[in-house]
Amino acid sequence: MSAVLHQELNELAEPVWKEAVDHPFWAGIRDGSLPPRSLTVLVEQSAGHLLPAYARALARTAAATRWEHHVSLLARAAVDTVQAGARLLGAHNGMCAEIGAPPADPTAAVAAATHAHTAFLHAATDSSVAAGMGALLPLAWFQQRITDDLRARRQAGSRYEAWTEMYHPGSAYARTVSELVAAYDELGELMSGPGRTELVTYFTMGLRYTHAVTEAAWTHADWPTRTSGTV
């Protein structure tokens, strides 16, 4: 008998979660050493591009799924995601003086890694319910894991201590993620073998796209620049 779907996905994700929480970006938030500009880049890319794309991906999958309670769950998550982006931008900019960070520009251009992630979300959720569900879970799970770890291991009195508390989505978000996980287990029972395989494949790809956005904020990586003599 196949493992419960969320257990299978968690086993696939665990090495990536470990790599993510130990990444210098999140470690720098915990101890206050992260360059403030890197934090602002993350907020710009998340609030301005990734979260709006994620909300649309949730809404597309809600419209495509045949199970009504999944429609309600995904549609509610889409609304919450739109609101979360606006809250993040406003809260971060309200704390800029306190943490010494430049304000996030709501019109900042999309970075290459963010563009790749959003394009992946659009393509997956336009393909099938299985592909869409596989692509959606990594970001929701990642947000919960990262913010719980930041809260648990933050250094008291560090520069970003208050920012970390603001960034944590709270208990309501944890309940939504739990409901999502239950929905995936239901899908694991309802789907045929090929559908389950497709979901797992897109989940695995989504893990790396999610982590790549953090890496880009850390390095400030953007679109490749054209050099002299390049065709």
Side-chain angles (χ1 to χ4, degrees):
M1 178 181 292
S2 298
V4 175
L5 183 55
H6 92 267
Q7 294 175 345
E8 180 180 350
L9 299 176
N10 188 62
E11 289 175 5
L12 289 170
E14 198 58 41
V16 183
W17 302 145
K18 179 169 174 42
E19 181 182 349
V21 299
D22 291 340
H23 190 280
F25 184 92
W26 302 111
I29 293 178
R30 290 194 299 268
D31 65 16
S33 65
L34 181 75
R37 176 59 188 156
S38 292
L39 192 64
T40 295
V41 169
L42 179 74
V43 172
E44 289 174 343
Q45 294 303 306
S46 296
H49 302 286
L50 184 55
L51 290 177
Y54 189 70
R56 288 175 173 83
L58 285 162
R60 273 195 300 274
T61 307
T65 187
R66 71 185 71 174
W67 295 285
E68 290 185 0
H69 61 297
H70 292 180
V71 175
S72 176
L73 172 61
L74 294 169
R76 184 160 32 93
V79 173
D80 290 345
T81 301
V82 171
Q83 295 172 345
R87 283 196 302 269
L88 174 61
L89 185 67
H92 173 82
N93 284 351
M95 301 177 74
C96 283
E98 177 184 347
I99 62 178
D105 179 0
T107 66
V110 63
T114 311
H115 183 271
H117 193 175
T118 58
F120 166 73
L121 289 171
H122 290 319
T125 54
D126 194 45
S127 176
S128 68
V129 171
M133 292 295 283
L136 286 169
L137 184 58
L139 185 57
W141 230 345
F142 179 88
Q143 186 72 4
Q144 184 182 35
R145 297 284 189 106
I146 285 294
T147 54
D148 283 351
D149 183 77
L150 287 175
R151 177 182 272 181
R153 295 201 288 158
R154 64 188 172 186
Q155 182 175 310
S158 65
R159 170 186 284 190
Y160 301 124
E161 183 178 14
W163 190 96
T164 297
E165 191 62 32
M166 174 278 294
Y167 191 57
H168 195 281
S171 58
Y173 184 81
R175 288 193 296 271
T176 297
V177 173
S178 294
E179 291 176 26
L180 276 172
V181 168
Y184 281 81
D185 286 344
E186 291 173 359
L187 284 173
E189 295 296 325
L190 293 167
M191 283 179 165
S192 64
R196 183 178 176 126
T197 298
E198 184 178 29
L199 188 153
V200 171
T201 297
Y202 275 83
F203 175 82
T204 303
M205 290 190 288
L207 286 171
R208 287 299 172 183
Y209 278 112
T210 300
H211 186 47
V213 173
T214 300
E215 180 65 29
W218 170 246
T219 62
H220 297 184
D222 205 337
W223 295 105
T225 55
R226 183 173 178 176
T227 58
S228 178
T230 300
V231 176

